[in-house]
Amino acid sequence: MTVVRRPASASASASASSAHGRPCRRCCGLALDLGSARTRAWVAGRGAILDVPTVTRPGTGAVRPVRRGAIVDVPATARMLDRLLGHRLPRVTRPLVVVTVPVLDGPAHRERARTAVQVLRPRGVLTVSTARAVALAGDADLSVPLLVADIGAHVTEVVLLVDGAVFDARSAALGTSDFRSGATSAGIVEAIVTMLTSMLRQDRTSLTADALSRGALLAGGGALRPDLVGRLTGALHAPVRAVPAPHTAAIRGAAMLLRSAYSHPSAMGFCPPDTAAAPDSVPR
């Protein structure tokens, strides 16, 4: 298990912990990023990001319940979450959970994620697109159109955000883990360029072009590869800015959303205990 110490941008909040360092019972919460290769979690009051392989072992052999960005085995996902987080959450309260989800997986993925998270006895479940979470972690200006490219282990997404909401999106079943089977940085860059070209052709407005002229915000493990970032900058003929610690950007953005939910419940459409909501926005 990897434990990433809390970055400066995700500093401790008085509403998330007590004066003695114990999790605040009223503000018990969890941010969760279920990736194909890695699962990351942030527990309110703990001050660190948990980072583990997305795998569970019910008997013989390893089971990977998330593949190419999609939850394919809900019970196995629930077992993994219970093993990873069940003992880390206070039993006397029920947590508010924020889960990142791929843009194009739609309601089915969100429902599978909510079902798996029920093992943690949540008081409510909020979902946010991975692109939106990345933009929050990158402190991006959401008042203008923004392109986000998220290069994960098995999926690459290109998303256009307008006023912070998803306006258009494309994805490719290709990521950094595919390097072991012959994929290259050039191949991933080509996939991103193809997706962007499609978005530009189908956009009857100037929003995609406007966003591209300002460059792209890059996240995911692929953003840690200088060769890939350099190739992408050249291919787009536009600046490319990697989010700090890009491999944990999504979970840090989800943690920011969780803290905002406690600070501004009415703006978040926060539901009372035992109900669920799915806003894809955060108060500014």
Side-chain angles (χ1 to χ4, degrees):
M1 177 189 297
T2 302
V3 178
V4 182
R5 287 296 157 195
R6 178 179 54 217
S9 60
S11 60
S13 168
S15 64
S17 61
S18 70
H20 301 288
R22 295 186 297 272
C24 168
R25 292 185 177 184
R26 181 176 62 86
C27 303
C28 176
L30 167 71
L32 189 62
D33 180 32
L34 292 167
S36 303
R38 310 287 298 184
T39 287
R40 298 180 174 99
W42 183 90
V43 181
R46 294 282 182 171
I49 295 172
L50 303 177
D51 187 340
V52 299
T54 304
V55 62
T56 186
R57 296 176 176 82
T60 60
V63 174
R64 299 191 177 276
V66 182
R67 299 173 192 168
R68 298 291 175 186
I71 298 175
V72 296
D73 190 331
V74 174
T77 303
R79 289 194 297 270
M80 179 187 70
L81 293 177
D82 188 39
R83 173 175 54 84
L84 172 64
L85 298 165
H87 63 289
R88 300 177 186 273
L89 298 171
R91 284 296 179 184
V92 295
T93 58
R94 303 178 67 178
L96 173 63
V97 180
V98 174
V99 186
T100 65
V101 294
V103 171
L104 295 178
D105 273 8
H109 180 94
R110 295 173 187 266
E111 186 59 34
R112 288 192 292 268
R114 286 198 187 97
T115 300
V117 168
Q118 292 306 311
V119 72
L120 302 176
R121 300 170 53 253
R123 63 184 301 190
V125 181
L126 313 178
T127 59
V128 60
S129 69
T130 300
R132 171 74 180 190
V134 165
L136 292 174
D139 195 25
D141 182 1
L142 295 178
S143 68
V144 296
L146 174 69
L147 279 172
V148 177
D150 184 11
I151 306 171
H154 298 111
V155 176
T156 296
E157 278 193 332
V158 177
V159 181
L160 174 63
L161 297 175
V162 177
D163 291 328
V166 175
F167 184 84
D168 197 0
R170 300 287 189 279
S171 69
L174 183 67
T176 55
S177 289
D178 295 307
F179 289 151
R180 293 191 293 267
S181 56
T184 62
S185 293
I188 292 179
V189 169
E190 182 180 357
I192 292 174
V193 171
T194 298
M195 289 186 280
L196 267 174
T197 301
S198 175
M199 292 169 68
L200 286 165
R201 287 175 177 171
Q202 295 184 23
D203 187 0
R204 297 180 181 274
T205 71
S206 62
L207 293 172
T208 305
D210 289 347
L212 181 58
S213 69
R214 282 185 292 273
L217 190 64
L218 193 61
L224 295 172
R225 299 181 62 95
D227 60 326
L228 198 158
V229 176
R231 285 178 179 272
L232 186 59
T233 301
L236 297 182
H237 303 290
V240 173
R241 177 172 73 90
V243 180
H247 57 305
T248 63
I251 187 62
R252 288 185 284 115
M256 292 170 66
L257 181 63
L258 176 65
R259 290 195 294 271
S260 295
Y262 281 124
S263 300
H264 307 281
S266 60
M268 285 298 304
F270 180 59
C271 296
D274 303 320
T275 62
D280 193 13
S281 61
V282 64
R284 296 179 182 176

